[in-house]
């Protein structure tokens, strides 16, 4: 349930760089916004700070936020048990990234591989990335949850990221060394001890861990020339429409020096404005959790049919 919720609600928000602007400000610690634009702006401020717990609290009406927190720690009955193989794999990876000499060992292992990969793939990389570009665009075209405008906007982002990926010095030894440092530092800050701990985290603990991972990911992208913060800082907002409790906000932003735009739908609940997609996905995830729990419940006593 947790991974589904993050994938379908939080990650689309991050991927679209949803939000921000220079309009009248609300208190971002409060649920929703006084206007559609103010709600979006507060979300980006929280995202820039890496305050993912605060982002959820702001992005959902109080009742839905309480439900999210309550659902978070409930075990998914369909989740498979942790096996000894899972535990061994987790511990091996953990040791590789958190041992006292982890940084030196990881880079020593990576350095010859980078040299070999550069020799083998440097000339082929632009072609491989172009093929990946085509596959991503095909996936966008076949996506049934995106409308025509959203598909156009998604393709525009791909058109900016593909040339960046083609020109980025992925085999650069100095950058690789920086990346290893960030990966090791982030792994140590996460301070995970076991797969059981990872699965049993409550909402507040999970949000702190996700925020640590988010910060590490931003640092890694920045090493290779993609600054998430620069993109968030570039965002300008304008309200396109507002009628009968529904609104659309246009988000103009710059990605890698290229101007782009997207739109986000907002909905009014009890006088405050929220992201329509985040609210919808949070409620769908709760319903899925309820359905899973109902399916896992044992049949009432005496309900089993008997034959003589």
């Amino acid at each position: 349930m947790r991974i589904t919720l993050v994938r379908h609600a939080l990650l689309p928000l991050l991927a679209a760089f949803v939000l921000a602007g220079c309009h009248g400000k609300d208190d971002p610690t409060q649920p929703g916004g006084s206007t559609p634009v103010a709600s979006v702006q507060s979300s980006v401020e929280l995202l820039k700070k890496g305050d993912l717990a605060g982002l959820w609290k702001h992005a959902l009406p109080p009742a839905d936020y309480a439900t999210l927190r309550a659902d978070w720690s409930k075990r998914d009955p369909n989740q498979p048990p942790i096996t000894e193989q899972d535990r061994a794999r987790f511990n091996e990876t953990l040791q590789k990234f958190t041992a006292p000499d982890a940084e030196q060992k990881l880079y020593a292992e990576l350095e010859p591989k980078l040299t070999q990969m550069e020799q083998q793939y440097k000339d082929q990389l632009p072609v491989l990335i172009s093929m990946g570009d085509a596959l991503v665009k095909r996936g966008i075209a076949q996506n049934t949850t995106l409308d025509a405008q959203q598909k156009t906007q998604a393709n525009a982002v791909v058109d900016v990221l593909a040339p960046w990926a083609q020109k980025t010095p992925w085999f650069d030894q100095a950058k690789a060394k920086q990346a290893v440092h960030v990966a090791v530092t982030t792994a140590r800050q996460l301070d995970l001890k076991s797969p059981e701990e990872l699965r049993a985290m409550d909402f507040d603990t999970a949000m702190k861990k996700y925020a640590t991972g988010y910060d590490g990911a931003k640092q890694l992208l920045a090493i290779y020339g993609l600054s998430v913060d620069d993109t968030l800082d570039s965002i300008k907002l304008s309200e396109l429409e507002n009628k009968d409790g529904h609104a659309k906000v246009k988000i103009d932003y710059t990605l890698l020096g290229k101007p782009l735009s997207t739109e986000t739908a907002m909905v009014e609940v009890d006088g405050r404005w929220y992201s329509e997609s985040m609210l919808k996905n949070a409620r769908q995830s709760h319903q899925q959790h309820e359905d899973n729990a109902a399916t896992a419940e044992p049949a009432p006593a005496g309900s089993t049919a008997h034959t003589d």
Side-chain angles (χ1 to χ4, degrees), residues 56-251:
W56 278 115
K57 186 176 182 180
H58 164 74
L60 296 175
D64 293 278
Y65 176 66
T67 298
L68 170 68
R69 290 176 59 86
D71 285 346
W72 197 269
S73 298
K74 295 178 182 177
R75 178 177 171 80
D76 183 349
N78 296 320
Q79 195 170 36
I82 296 171
T83 66
E84 286 300 324
Q85 185 179 12
D86 294 332
R87 193 174 292 107
R89 188 183 302 113
F90 180 93
N91 290 335
E92 181 183 357
T93 302
L94 186 68
Q95 178 67 19
K96 182 176 290 189
F97 280 88
T98 60
D101 57 351
E103 195 169 331
Q104 292 78 10
K105 281 189 174 181
L106 282 170
Y107 183 68
E109 181 181 333
L110 180 62
E111 185 177 16
K113 291 182 180 179
L114 283 173
T115 301
Q116 181 182 2
M117 290 174 65
E118 183 174 22
Q119 294 172 348
Q120 290 181 341
Y121 299 113
K122 183 176 182 180
D123 294 336
Q124 301 176 36
L125 192 60
V127 177
L128 294 174
I129 292 174
S130 294
M131 292 172 61
D133 179 9
L135 289 173
V136 170
K137 286 186 174 180
R138 184 182 304 168
I140 292 172
Q142 295 173 349
N143 190 303
T144 58
T145 64
L146 299 176
D147 60 29
Q149 185 177 43
Q150 290 171 327
K151 290 180 179 181
T152 298
Q153 293 165 350
N155 281 322
V157 172
V158 175
D159 285 339
V160 173
L161 292 178
W164 164 74
Q166 289 177 334
K167 296 177 182 178
T168 297
W170 299 111
F171 307 116
D172 184 90
Q173 299 282 354
K175 292 186 183 298
K177 196 168 188 177
Q178 294 177 55
V180 168
H181 173 73
V182 170
V184 169
T185 300
T186 301
R188 289 171 176 165
Q189 290 173 342
L190 285 170
D191 193 28
L192 297 172
K193 299 293 191 293
S194 70
E196 289 84 0
E197 177 196 18
L198 185 64
R199 183 173 289 188
M201 284 191 297
D202 60 22
F203 177 82
D204 292 329
T205 303
M207 289 302 106
K208 289 178 182 177
K209 302 294 186 185
Y210 289 169
T212 298
Y214 171 60
D215 183 63
K218 288 203 303 180
Q219 292 181 57
L220 287 173
L221 288 172
I223 289 171
Y224 292 98
L226 199 167
S227 171
V228 173
D229 285 337
D230 283 353
T231 298
L232 292 172
D233 286 339
S234 74
I235 294 176
K236 306 296 181 185
L237 302 178
S238 56
E239 189 174 275
L240 296 178
E241 58 185 67
N242 188 333
K243 183 179 180 181
D244 298 329
H246 293 269
K248 281 189 178 180
V249 175
K250 184 182 180 186
I251 305 162

Side-chain angles (χ1 to χ4, degrees), residues 1-9 11 72 79 210:
M1 178 266 184
R2 303 178 206 173
I3 299 301
T4 300
L5 181 57
V6 171
R7 184 175 68 246
H8 290 298
L11 294 186
W72 197 269
Q79 195 170 36
Y210 289 169

